[in-house]
Each structure stands twice: as structure tokens, then as C-alpha cells.
Amino acid sequence: MNRRRYLRGVAGVGAVGAAGLAGCLERLGFEEESAWANPPLVEDRPDAVYLPASREEMGMYGMDSDGDYALGLSYTFPHRFWTVEATSEGKQLVEVDADDSLHLMLTVWDRETDTVLPVDPVIEVLRDGSPVDAGISSPWPMISQRMGFHYGDNIRLPGEGEYTARVRAGPVSADRTGAFDGRLESAATLEVDFEYSRSSINGLSFQTIDEERRGNRGALPLMSHGDGGDSDGAGDGSGGMPPMGQGPPIDDLPGESLGTERSGDAAITAIRTDAERFVGSDGGEYLAVALRTPYHGISLPLTSLSAALERDGSVRLEERLTETLDGEFGHHYGLAVDDLAAGDRLRVTVDSPPQVSRHDGYETAFFEFEDVTYTV
């Protein structure tokens, strides 16, 4: 069914309590400019990635490119999400507002490697060449089970019609090695023209998840744009679908894997390599730590990690890991070390959780981390 039909049923039979409705119930489902309501939220949620109560189709407005950067502009229903603060407050719920028009999503990636980029984009929405107050300027970095890593927010538009999204993306602040070395050091301006209509939002498909499956550990499939279908995770900017932020398969990474551990329900993999681009010509080794979501392997950016190396019961090195983009390893956190010996123990600590907003199914995961250890 579509979202409008579902919400009309909610208003008619009282399937969702008043606390779950973001707009005015008297308007819900009966006017073209109806207010929105949040779908049900799973009550008994684990501190882990879980199956939410519903899944939504997402539409594609278009793409643009400028130099090394590419942009995909997507949309779906306005809906709730949780922002994450690097403070004791943790996360903050953002409810749907009755005036929200849609949820706008930006994916920015590198055209050469198809790597989704953490770039802090700035967006301006134009109508007839003039800016409009859409309630958005710096969209939130986000993760969702359907869209992977992206930037987005609920926005308000003054009416139906044609608009332009003008996005300033870059430069990339993370360290860059390999195929990224010397690139993505400046900003780019990208534009996508789109037409907003309420019918296009209301016509998106909306499905509830069986009650016996809601809250179980797992994740919805990644979105395949345009038909509401499922993706095999191979979104690479071709075929009208942006990449989703998945890291390269662990088994394909060069070097020696020290193993994958789970903490905070994230998959944390440590790999050692002596590639010269990491350690220079004087030798040594490099530790690459991949921090990813379970099930889909979405790289988790904007996280603070540190590592300690222990030998014979003594800590010989303790340093912060550096957020890095590499052509082979993709997004990861790295540290160069002088040498590693058999029996050395590597301890990885997540000092602050990923500073990315979360949609349903991710908002309870990736917060409480225990240290993970690996043996060389």
C-alpha cells in the first residue's frame, strides 16, 4: 500500500496511539496537504541493529557531477530520525512536523572509486533562481537500512512545482592515500533540478513488517531506486542508483586480517599491511581498522578510535587512529607502527560513537562499545 492509504487507516481505526502521530489527526488522510504521522516504533528494541516496523520506497530526483565529485538526490516520506551528539546527552529524537514536505537525501561520492564521501555538504534550495526557506542548509550525516550512509533531513517547501537543489560538497577532511592521494582537496558545486508534487510522495509504496519479525536482529535490504525493489548492494552510481557506502569486501583487502570482532553491534576488522603508501620507504607496518554495520557492511564514519599495542604484558604504543580514505581499503581508521611481532596484542577502543544520525533499526546500535583485542 502507499503511505497515505496506511495513514488513513491509522486515523480510521486508531491502530497507532496519539503519541505516535506528528501532525493534526483531523487532517490526516483527508486533505491533499495532509499532515504526516510516524509509523509504529518497535517497543522492545535490542541495543543492536534490528528489523523496524515498516519499510518505505525511495524515489530518485537525479544526479550531477563536478570534477571528482558526484551527487545523487533522493526523496521519501518525511519521517523521524535520531541525531547523535558528542556529549552526555547521546541521541536526540527528531519528530516529523506537520509542515514537512518530504525527506530529502544526498549521497556524495568519488567518481573514480565509487566511494561515498564524508564531506559535510551545504544545500540551498532554489525556486525560479531564488533561494527558498526549506528549513535545511547543512543536512545531517545519516545511516539508514535502506539508503546506507548519506546526508538528509525533512524539508518544507512552499508549494508544488519545480526546484533546484544546489549542493556545495568538499573538501574531504579525512586523510587520503592511494587513489585518493592529492585529490578531493577543493569543493565542488553540484545541482539537481527536481519537481515536487504531493502525489509523488503519497504514491511511494509503504509496507509494514510482520509483528513477529519486528525487533528481531537483522536489517532491511538496501534500496533499489525507482521500483521500490531490493538491491544486491552493488550501487555504484550506474543505472540511476548512487552507491550506499559499503566498504570493499574484507576478503578482498590486501594484507593479513587479524580477525573481525563485534562491539556495540558493529563489525570491527583489523588488518596489517606493509604497503609503502602507508609506511613510507623506511619500512614498518600499518594497521587498518574497518568499522562497519553488520549485515550490509556500511562504513561508519565520523568515529573516534584509538589503539594500543601490547607486548609481553607491557603497552608499547597507544595512539589515536586516523580516519582515512584509500583506494583499496576504502573508508577506514589507520595507524602506522614501527614493527609487529608474533604474539603482540592489539586493543582497539571506540572513544566516541559514530557521529551520524540514525533511522529506525539503527538508533539503538553503535553506542556502547567494549574494547576489542586481536593477536598478531
Short mmCIF file of all heavy atoms in Angstrom, two decimals, residues 68-72 106-119 149-151 169 172 174-180 183-184 234-238 241-249 253 292 297-301 323-332:
data_model
loop_
_atom_site.label_atom_id
_atom_site.label_comp_id
_atom_site.label_asym_id
_atom_site.label_seq_id
_atom_site.Cartn_x
_atom_site.Cartn_y
_atom_site.Cartn_z
N ASP A 68 35.80 15.59 -9.42
CA ASP A 68 35.88 14.27 -8.78
C ASP A 68 34.60 13.88 -8.08
O ASP A 68 34.44 12.72 -7.68
CB ASP A 68 37.02 14.25 -7.75
CG ASP A 68 38.39 14.34 -8.39
OD1 ASP A 68 38.54 13.85 -9.53
OD2 ASP A 68 39.31 14.90 -7.77
N TYR A 69 33.69 14.83 -7.89
CA TYR A 69 32.51 14.59 -7.06
C TYR A 69 31.29 14.23 -7.90
O TYR A 69 31.08 14.75 -8.99
CB TYR A 69 32.17 15.83 -6.24
CG TYR A 69 33.23 16.24 -5.25
CD1 TYR A 69 34.25 17.12 -5.63
CD2 TYR A 69 33.20 15.79 -3.94
CE1 TYR A 69 35.22 17.52 -4.72
CE2 TYR A 69 34.16 16.19 -3.03
CZ TYR A 69 35.17 17.05 -3.43
OH TYR A 69 36.13 17.44 -2.51
N ALA A 70 30.46 13.36 -7.34
CA ALA A 70 29.15 13.05 -7.92
C ALA A 70 28.11 13.18 -6.81
O ALA A 70 28.38 12.94 -5.64
CB ALA A 70 29.12 11.66 -8.52
N LEU A 71 26.89 13.54 -7.20
CA LEU A 71 25.80 13.75 -6.26
C LEU A 71 24.56 13.00 -6.73
O LEU A 71 24.21 13.03 -7.91
CB LEU A 71 25.46 15.24 -6.16
CG LEU A 71 24.14 15.61 -5.47
CD1 LEU A 71 24.25 15.37 -3.96
CD2 LEU A 71 23.76 17.06 -5.76
N GLY A 72 23.92 12.31 -5.82
CA GLY A 72 22.62 11.72 -6.06
C GLY A 72 21.61 12.33 -5.10
O GLY A 72 21.88 12.44 -3.90
N LEU A 106 20.89 13.21 0.29
CA LEU A 106 22.01 13.49 -0.60
C LEU A 106 23.07 12.42 -0.41
O LEU A 106 23.46 12.12 0.73
CB LEU A 106 22.65 14.84 -0.27
CG LEU A 106 21.91 16.16 -0.53
CD1 LEU A 106 20.74 16.32 0.43
CD2 LEU A 106 22.87 17.32 -0.35
N THR A 107 23.50 11.85 -1.50
CA THR A 107 24.65 10.95 -1.48
C THR A 107 25.75 11.59 -2.32
O THR A 107 25.53 11.92 -3.49
CB THR A 107 24.30 9.57 -2.04
OG1 THR A 107 23.20 9.02 -1.30
CG2 THR A 107 25.49 8.63 -1.93
N VAL A 108 26.92 11.78 -1.72
CA VAL A 108 28.06 12.36 -2.44
C VAL A 108 29.16 11.30 -2.49
O VAL A 108 29.51 10.71 -1.47
CB VAL A 108 28.58 13.63 -1.73
CG1 VAL A 108 29.75 14.22 -2.51
CG2 VAL A 108 27.47 14.66 -1.58
N TRP A 109 29.66 11.05 -3.69
CA TRP A 109 30.69 10.03 -3.81
C TRP A 109 31.77 10.44 -4.79
O TRP A 109 31.61 11.38 -5.58
CB TRP A 109 30.08 8.68 -4.20
CG TRP A 109 29.54 8.55 -5.60
CD1 TRP A 109 30.18 8.06 -6.69
CD2 TRP A 109 28.21 8.91 -6.06
NE1 TRP A 109 29.35 8.07 -7.79
CE2 TRP A 109 28.15 8.57 -7.43
CE3 TRP A 109 27.09 9.45 -5.44
CZ2 TRP A 109 27.00 8.79 -8.20
CZ3 TRP A 109 25.95 9.65 -6.19
CH2 TRP A 109 25.91 9.33 -7.55
N ASP A 110 32.89 9.72 -4.72
CA ASP A 110 34.03 9.93 -5.60
C ASP A 110 33.80 9.20 -6.91
O ASP A 110 33.53 7.99 -6.92
CB ASP A 110 35.30 9.42 -4.91
CG ASP A 110 36.50 9.41 -5.84
OD1 ASP A 110 36.73 10.43 -6.51
OD2 ASP A 110 37.20 8.37 -5.91
N ARG A 111 33.89 9.90 -8.00
CA ARG A 111 33.58 9.32 -9.30
C ARG A 111 34.58 8.25 -9.72
O ARG A 111 34.22 7.32 -10.45
CB ARG A 111 33.54 10.42 -10.36
CG ARG A 111 32.45 11.47 -10.13
CD ARG A 111 32.54 12.59 -11.16
NE ARG A 111 32.23 12.12 -12.51
CZ ARG A 111 32.41 12.85 -13.59
NH1 ARG A 111 32.95 14.07 -13.50
NH2 ARG A 111 32.08 12.39 -14.78
N GLU A 112 35.82 8.36 -9.27
CA GLU A 112 36.84 7.40 -9.69
C GLU A 112 36.69 6.05 -8.99
O GLU A 112 36.87 5.00 -9.60
CB GLU A 112 38.23 7.96 -9.42
CG GLU A 112 39.37 7.03 -9.84
CD GLU A 112 40.74 7.65 -9.64
OE1 GLU A 112 40.86 8.88 -9.78
OE2 GLU A 112 41.68 6.89 -9.34
N THR A 113 36.37 6.07 -7.69
CA THR A 113 36.36 4.84 -6.90
C THR A 113 34.97 4.42 -6.45
O THR A 113 34.81 3.35 -5.86
CB THR A 113 37.23 5.01 -5.65
OG1 THR A 113 36.64 6.02 -4.81
CG2 THR A 113 38.65 5.41 -6.01
N ASP A 114 33.95 5.26 -6.68
CA ASP A 114 32.59 5.00 -6.23
C ASP A 114 32.50 4.90 -4.70
O ASP A 114 31.64 4.21 -4.17
CB ASP A 114 32.00 3.73 -6.86
CG ASP A 114 31.69 3.92 -8.34
OD1 ASP A 114 31.25 5.02 -8.71
OD2 ASP A 114 31.89 2.96 -9.11
N THR A 115 33.39 5.61 -4.01
CA THR A 115 33.38 5.62 -2.55
C THR A 115 32.51 6.77 -2.06
O THR A 115 32.72 7.92 -2.45
CB THR A 115 34.81 5.79 -2.00
OG1 THR A 115 35.63 4.71 -2.46
CG2 THR A 115 34.81 5.81 -0.47
N VAL A 116 31.54 6.46 -1.21
CA VAL A 116 30.72 7.51 -0.61
C VAL A 116 31.58 8.33 0.34
O VAL A 116 32.36 7.78 1.14
CB VAL A 116 29.51 6.91 0.13
CG1 VAL A 116 28.72 8.00 0.83
CG2 VAL A 116 28.61 6.17 -0.86
N LEU A 117 31.46 9.66 0.28
CA LEU A 117 32.38 10.55 0.96
C LEU A 117 31.74 11.24 2.16
O LEU A 117 30.61 11.74 2.07
CB LEU A 117 32.87 11.63 -0.01
CG LEU A 117 33.56 11.15 -1.28
CD1 LEU A 117 33.82 12.32 -2.22
CD2 LEU A 117 34.87 10.43 -0.94
N PRO A 118 32.47 11.31 3.27
CA PRO A 118 32.06 12.19 4.38
C PRO A 118 32.54 13.61 4.09
O PRO A 118 33.73 13.90 4.17
CB PRO A 118 32.77 11.58 5.59
CG PRO A 118 33.98 10.89 5.03
CD PRO A 118 33.65 10.50 3.61
N VAL A 119 31.61 14.50 3.70
CA VAL A 119 32.03 15.80 3.15
C VAL A 119 31.33 17.01 3.77
O VAL A 119 31.64 18.14 3.39
CB VAL A 119 31.79 15.85 1.62
CG1 VAL A 119 32.76 14.96 0.88
CG2 VAL A 119 30.35 15.48 1.28
N PHE A 149 24.86 5.05 4.06
CA PHE A 149 25.35 6.33 4.56
C PHE A 149 25.00 7.43 3.57
O PHE A 149 25.28 7.32 2.38
CB PHE A 149 26.86 6.29 4.78
CG PHE A 149 27.43 7.62 5.19
CD1 PHE A 149 27.11 8.19 6.41
CD2 PHE A 149 28.27 8.32 4.33
CE1 PHE A 149 27.62 9.43 6.77
CE2 PHE A 149 28.78 9.55 4.69
CZ PHE A 149 28.45 10.11 5.91
N HIS A 150 24.42 8.51 4.07
CA HIS A 150 24.03 9.64 3.23
C HIS A 150 23.87 10.87 4.13
O HIS A 150 24.15 10.83 5.33
CB HIS A 150 22.71 9.34 2.51
CG HIS A 150 21.55 9.12 3.44
ND1 HIS A 150 21.36 7.94 4.13
CD2 HIS A 150 20.51 9.91 3.81
CE1 HIS A 150 20.29 8.03 4.89
NE2 HIS A 150 19.75 9.21 4.71
N TYR A 151 23.44 11.96 3.54
CA TYR A 151 23.09 13.17 4.28
C TYR A 151 21.62 13.46 4.01
O TYR A 151 21.14 13.26 2.89
CB TYR A 151 23.95 14.36 3.84
CG TYR A 151 25.41 14.23 4.27
CD1 TYR A 151 26.30 13.46 3.53
CD2 TYR A 151 25.87 14.88 5.41
CE1 TYR A 151 27.62 13.33 3.93
CE2 TYR A 151 27.19 14.75 5.81
CZ TYR A 151 28.07 13.97 5.06
OH TYR A 151 29.37 13.84 5.46
N ALA A 169 29.86 20.63 -1.93
CA ALA A 169 30.44 19.46 -1.29
C ALA A 169 31.96 19.54 -1.30
O ALA A 169 32.56 19.96 -2.29
CB ALA A 169 30.00 18.18 -2.00
N VAL A 172 37.31 17.12 1.31
CA VAL A 172 37.30 15.98 2.23
C VAL A 172 38.39 16.19 3.26
O VAL A 172 39.55 16.42 2.93
CB VAL A 172 37.53 14.66 1.47
CG1 VAL A 172 37.69 13.50 2.43
CG2 VAL A 172 36.37 14.40 0.51
N ALA A 174 39.19 13.93 5.77
CA ALA A 174 39.86 12.70 6.16
C ALA A 174 41.18 12.57 5.40
O ALA A 174 41.35 13.11 4.30
CB ALA A 174 38.97 11.49 5.86
N ASP A 175 42.14 11.85 6.00
CA ASP A 175 43.38 11.56 5.30
C ASP A 175 43.06 10.78 4.02
O ASP A 175 42.12 9.99 3.98
CB ASP A 175 44.31 10.74 6.18
CG ASP A 175 45.12 11.61 7.14
OD1 ASP A 175 44.76 12.80 7.30
OD2 ASP A 175 46.10 11.11 7.72
N ARG A 176 43.89 10.98 2.98
CA ARG A 176 43.64 10.33 1.70
C ARG A 176 44.92 9.69 1.20
O ARG A 176 45.98 10.35 1.15
CB ARG A 176 43.11 11.35 0.68
CG ARG A 176 41.78 11.96 1.12
CD ARG A 176 41.32 13.08 0.22
NE ARG A 176 42.28 14.16 0.09
CZ ARG A 176 42.49 15.10 1.00
NH1 ARG A 176 41.79 15.08 2.13
NH2 ARG A 176 43.35 16.06 0.80
N THR A 177 44.84 8.43 0.84
CA THR A 177 46.00 7.68 0.38
C THR A 177 45.63 6.92 -0.89
O THR A 177 44.46 6.78 -1.24
CB THR A 177 46.49 6.68 1.45
OG1 THR A 177 45.41 5.81 1.81
CG2 THR A 177 46.98 7.41 2.69
N GLY A 178 46.65 6.40 -1.56
CA GLY A 178 46.41 5.60 -2.76
C GLY A 178 45.69 6.41 -3.83
O GLY A 178 46.11 7.51 -4.19
N ALA A 179 44.58 5.90 -4.31
CA ALA A 179 43.82 6.55 -5.38
C ALA A 179 43.26 7.90 -4.96
O ALA A 179 42.86 8.71 -5.81
CB ALA A 179 42.67 5.64 -5.83
N PHE A 180 43.23 8.18 -3.66
CA PHE A 180 42.71 9.47 -3.17
C PHE A 180 43.82 10.50 -2.94
O PHE A 180 43.52 11.66 -2.67
CB PHE A 180 41.95 9.26 -1.85
CG PHE A 180 40.66 8.51 -2.01
CD1 PHE A 180 40.60 7.15 -1.77
CD2 PHE A 180 39.51 9.16 -2.42
CE1 PHE A 180 39.42 6.45 -1.92
CE2 PHE A 180 38.32 8.48 -2.57
CZ PHE A 180 38.28 7.11 -2.32
N ARG A 183 43.83 14.30 -4.14
CA ARG A 183 42.52 14.59 -4.72
C ARG A 183 41.53 15.00 -3.64
O ARG A 183 41.78 14.84 -2.45
CB ARG A 183 41.99 13.37 -5.48
CG ARG A 183 42.89 12.91 -6.61
CD ARG A 183 42.40 11.61 -7.25
NE ARG A 183 41.00 11.70 -7.64
CZ ARG A 183 40.05 10.92 -7.14
NH1 ARG A 183 40.34 10.00 -6.23
NH2 ARG A 183 38.81 11.05 -7.54
N LEU A 184 40.38 15.52 -4.08
CA LEU A 184 39.28 15.91 -3.19
C LEU A 184 39.71 16.97 -2.18
O LEU A 184 39.23 17.00 -1.06
CB LEU A 184 38.72 14.68 -2.47
CG LEU A 184 38.26 13.53 -3.39
CD1 LEU A 184 37.95 12.29 -2.57
CD2 LEU A 184 37.05 13.94 -4.21
N ALA A 234 25.11 -3.45 -4.79
CA ALA A 234 26.13 -3.09 -5.76
C ALA A 234 25.94 -1.69 -6.32
O ALA A 234 26.44 -1.38 -7.38
CB ALA A 234 26.13 -4.10 -6.90
N GLY A 235 25.21 -0.83 -5.60
CA GLY A 235 25.02 0.52 -6.09
C GLY A 235 26.34 1.23 -6.28
O GLY A 235 27.14 1.34 -5.36
N ASP A 236 26.60 1.70 -7.47
CA ASP A 236 27.90 2.30 -7.76
C ASP A 236 27.77 3.56 -8.59
O ASP A 236 28.74 4.00 -9.21
CB ASP A 236 28.80 1.29 -8.48
CG ASP A 236 28.19 0.82 -9.80
OD1 ASP A 236 27.09 1.29 -10.15
OD2 ASP A 236 28.83 -0.01 -10.48
N GLY A 237 26.58 4.16 -8.59
CA GLY A 237 26.41 5.35 -9.38
C GLY A 237 25.98 5.07 -10.80
O GLY A 237 25.71 5.99 -11.56
N SER A 238 25.92 3.80 -11.18
CA SER A 238 25.45 3.44 -12.51
C SER A 238 24.01 2.96 -12.42
O SER A 238 23.53 2.58 -11.37
CB SER A 238 26.33 2.33 -13.10
OG SER A 238 26.24 1.17 -12.30
N MET A 241 21.37 4.64 -9.66
CA MET A 241 21.37 4.40 -8.23
C MET A 241 22.72 4.78 -7.64
O MET A 241 23.76 4.26 -8.06
CB MET A 241 21.08 2.92 -7.94
CG MET A 241 20.95 2.61 -6.46
SD MET A 241 20.48 0.89 -6.17
CE MET A 241 21.98 0.04 -6.65
N PRO A 242 22.75 5.68 -6.63
CA PRO A 242 24.03 6.02 -6.02
C PRO A 242 24.58 4.84 -5.23
O PRO A 242 23.84 3.93 -4.85
CB PRO A 242 23.66 7.17 -5.07
CG PRO A 242 22.30 7.61 -5.45
CD PRO A 242 21.63 6.42 -6.06
N PRO A 243 25.90 4.84 -4.95
CA PRO A 243 26.43 3.84 -4.04
C PRO A 243 25.87 4.06 -2.64
O PRO A 243 25.39 5.15 -2.31
CB PRO A 243 27.95 4.08 -4.10
CG PRO A 243 28.09 5.50 -4.57
CD PRO A 243 26.92 5.77 -5.46
N MET A 244 25.92 3.04 -1.81
CA MET A 244 25.30 3.07 -0.49
C MET A 244 26.29 3.22 0.66
O MET A 244 25.88 3.30 1.81
CB MET A 244 24.48 1.79 -0.27
CG MET A 244 23.40 1.57 -1.30
SD MET A 244 22.04 2.75 -1.14
CE MET A 244 20.98 2.24 -2.48
N GLY A 245 27.58 3.23 0.36
CA GLY A 245 28.56 3.41 1.42
C GLY A 245 29.14 2.12 1.96
O GLY A 245 29.75 2.10 3.03
N GLN A 246 28.95 1.01 1.24
CA GLN A 246 29.55 -0.24 1.67
C GLN A 246 31.05 -0.23 1.43
O GLN A 246 31.54 0.27 0.42
CB GLN A 246 28.93 -1.41 0.91
CG GLN A 246 27.47 -1.66 1.26
CD GLN A 246 26.85 -2.70 0.34
OE1 GLN A 246 26.76 -2.47 -0.86
NE2 GLN A 246 26.42 -3.81 0.90
N GLY A 247 31.79 -0.79 2.39
CA GLY A 247 33.23 -0.92 2.22
C GLY A 247 33.57 -2.09 1.32
O GLY A 247 32.75 -2.98 1.09
N PRO A 248 34.79 -2.13 0.79
CA PRO A 248 35.20 -3.29 -0.01
C PRO A 248 35.11 -4.56 0.82
O PRO A 248 35.31 -4.52 2.05
CB PRO A 248 36.67 -2.97 -0.36
CG PRO A 248 36.82 -1.50 -0.13
CD PRO A 248 35.86 -1.14 0.95
N PRO A 249 34.78 -5.70 0.21
CA PRO A 249 34.71 -6.95 0.97
C PRO A 249 36.01 -7.20 1.74
O PRO A 249 37.11 -7.03 1.19
CB PRO A 249 34.48 -8.01 -0.10
CG PRO A 249 33.83 -7.26 -1.24
CD PRO A 249 34.45 -5.90 -1.22
N LEU A 253 40.58 -7.38 0.71
CA LEU A 253 41.56 -6.38 1.12
C LEU A 253 42.96 -6.98 1.18
O LEU A 253 43.14 -8.11 1.64
CB LEU A 253 41.18 -5.80 2.49
CG LEU A 253 39.84 -5.07 2.56
CD1 LEU A 253 39.60 -4.54 3.97
CD2 LEU A 253 39.79 -3.93 1.55
N ARG A 292 32.23 -1.15 10.56
CA ARG A 292 31.10 -1.26 9.63
C ARG A 292 29.86 -1.77 10.34
O ARG A 292 29.92 -2.39 11.40
CB ARG A 292 31.46 -2.21 8.48
CG ARG A 292 32.66 -1.75 7.66
CD ARG A 292 32.99 -2.72 6.56
NE ARG A 292 34.15 -2.30 5.78
CZ ARG A 292 34.66 -2.98 4.77
NH1 ARG A 292 34.10 -4.14 4.42
NH2 ARG A 292 35.71 -2.53 4.12
N GLY A 297 27.54 -4.12 5.81
CA GLY A 297 28.91 -3.67 5.70
C GLY A 297 29.06 -2.21 5.32
O GLY A 297 29.98 -1.84 4.60
N ILE A 298 28.15 -1.36 5.82
CA ILE A 298 28.25 0.08 5.57
C ILE A 298 29.34 0.67 6.47
O ILE A 298 29.34 0.47 7.68
CB ILE A 298 26.91 0.78 5.87
CG1 ILE A 298 25.77 0.16 5.05
CG2 ILE A 298 27.02 2.28 5.60
CD1 ILE A 298 25.92 0.28 3.57
N SER A 299 30.29 1.37 5.88
CA SER A 299 31.35 2.00 6.67
C SER A 299 30.77 3.07 7.58
O SER A 299 29.93 3.87 7.15
CB SER A 299 32.41 2.61 5.75
OG SER A 299 33.06 1.61 4.99
N LEU A 300 31.22 3.09 8.83
CA LEU A 300 30.74 4.04 9.82
C LEU A 300 31.78 5.15 9.99
O LEU A 300 32.81 4.95 10.62
CB LEU A 300 30.48 3.34 11.15
CG LEU A 300 29.31 2.34 11.15
CD1 LEU A 300 29.31 1.51 12.42
CD2 LEU A 300 27.99 3.08 10.98
N PRO A 301 31.52 6.33 9.43
CA PRO A 301 32.48 7.43 9.51
C PRO A 301 32.30 8.23 10.80
O PRO A 301 31.44 7.92 11.64
CB PRO A 301 32.13 8.27 8.29
CG PRO A 301 30.63 8.11 8.18
CD PRO A 301 30.35 6.68 8.62
N GLU A 323 41.13 8.70 10.67
CA GLU A 323 40.12 8.41 9.66
C GLU A 323 40.72 8.63 8.27
O GLU A 323 41.27 9.70 7.98
CB GLU A 323 38.90 9.30 9.85
CG GLU A 323 37.72 8.95 8.97
CD GLU A 323 36.45 9.68 9.37
OE1 GLU A 323 36.54 10.65 10.16
OE2 GLU A 323 35.37 9.27 8.90
N THR A 324 40.61 7.62 7.42
CA THR A 324 41.36 7.61 6.17
C THR A 324 40.51 7.05 5.03
O THR A 324 39.70 6.14 5.23
CB THR A 324 42.64 6.76 6.31
OG1 THR A 324 43.43 7.26 7.40
CG2 THR A 324 43.47 6.77 5.04
N LEU A 325 40.71 7.59 3.84
CA LEU A 325 40.16 7.04 2.60
C LEU A 325 41.31 6.50 1.76
O LEU A 325 42.29 7.21 1.52
CB LEU A 325 39.40 8.10 1.81
CG LEU A 325 38.12 8.66 2.43
CD1 LEU A 325 37.58 9.80 1.56
CD2 LEU A 325 37.07 7.56 2.57
N ASP A 326 41.17 5.26 1.31
CA ASP A 326 42.21 4.64 0.49
C ASP A 326 41.55 3.91 -0.67
O ASP A 326 40.44 3.37 -0.53
CB ASP A 326 43.03 3.64 1.33
CG ASP A 326 44.11 2.97 0.51
OD1 ASP A 326 45.11 3.63 0.19
OD2 ASP A 326 43.94 1.77 0.18
N GLY A 327 42.24 3.89 -1.83
CA GLY A 327 41.64 3.29 -2.99
C GLY A 327 41.34 1.81 -2.84
O GLY A 327 40.38 1.31 -3.43
N GLU A 328 42.15 1.08 -2.07
CA GLU A 328 41.92 -0.36 -1.88
C GLU A 328 41.13 -0.66 -0.61
O GLU A 328 40.23 -1.51 -0.62
CB GLU A 328 43.26 -1.10 -1.83
CG GLU A 328 43.98 -1.18 -3.15
CD GLU A 328 45.23 -2.03 -3.06
OE1 GLU A 328 46.19 -1.61 -2.36
OE2 GLU A 328 45.25 -3.11 -3.67
N PHE A 329 41.45 0.03 0.48
CA PHE A 329 40.80 -0.26 1.75
C PHE A 329 39.49 0.51 1.92
O PHE A 329 38.70 0.18 2.80
CB PHE A 329 41.73 0.08 2.92
CG PHE A 329 42.84 -0.91 3.12
CD1 PHE A 329 44.01 -0.82 2.39
CD2 PHE A 329 42.72 -1.94 4.03
CE1 PHE A 329 45.04 -1.73 2.56
CE2 PHE A 329 43.73 -2.85 4.22
CZ PHE A 329 44.90 -2.76 3.48
N GLY A 330 39.27 1.51 1.09
CA GLY A 330 38.08 2.33 1.26
C GLY A 330 38.17 3.16 2.53
O GLY A 330 39.26 3.55 2.98
N HIS A 331 37.01 3.43 3.14
CA HIS A 331 36.98 4.19 4.38
C HIS A 331 37.42 3.29 5.53
O HIS A 331 36.90 2.19 5.71
CB HIS A 331 35.57 4.71 4.64
CG HIS A 331 35.45 5.48 5.93
ND1 HIS A 331 35.31 4.85 7.16
CD2 HIS A 331 35.48 6.81 6.19
CE1 HIS A 331 35.24 5.77 8.11
NE2 HIS A 331 35.35 6.95 7.54
N HIS A 332 38.38 3.77 6.33
CA HIS A 332 38.85 3.00 7.48
C HIS A 332 39.55 3.94 8.45
O HIS A 332 39.64 5.16 8.22
CB HIS A 332 39.80 1.88 7.04
CG HIS A 332 41.12 2.37 6.50
ND1 HIS A 332 41.28 2.86 5.22
CD2 HIS A 332 42.34 2.49 7.09
CE1 HIS A 332 42.53 3.23 5.03
NE2 HIS A 332 43.19 3.02 6.16
#
